[in-house]
Amino acid sequence: MANQQSLREMLSHRVTFTYDTGVEVVGTVIACAPVTGPVEYLVLAKVEVKGGTGQVLARFAELPLLPGNLVGISVTEGGL
């Protein structure tokens, strides 16, 4: 993943985030938060999520994105 400074330099740029599964998230960075210190999340605009073969799986006007590595998943409540 890009270092914190380079993430801030991506503001207003169209970027592609590529995952180990081949999935890509493509969008324009419109916000970084918090304003100072390490970037904890980005907001992308005009987003496309592409599958491993390049097909568009979803489109979003805006999408928050966490630029860190996922380290765990756990159930916090039962099903609905």
Side-chain angles (χ1 to χ4, degrees):
M1 179 51 65
N3 67 42
Q4 301 300 316
Q5 185 59 36
S6 67
L7 288 172
R8 291 194 192 288
E9 291 170 359
M10 292 179 188
L11 276 169
S12 79
H13 290 78
R14 190 137 179 96
V15 298
T16 300
F17 293 87
T18 305
Y19 295 86
D20 60 351
T21 59
V23 171
E24 294 181 341
V25 177
V26 182
T28 302
V29 179
I30 60 171
C32 291
V35 176
T36 60
V39 174
E40 295 180 15
Y41 76 93
L42 304 168
V43 179
L44 304 178
K46 299 179 182 175
V47 180
E48 288 186 343
V49 178
K50 296 180 179 182
T53 60
Q55 78 279 21
V56 176
L57 301 175
R59 289 187 173 93
F60 301 96
E62 287 188 3
L63 181 73
L65 182 74
L66 306 174
N69 294 320
L70 182 65
V71 296
I73 299 173
S74 62
V75 176
T76 53
E77 291 186 21
L80 298 175

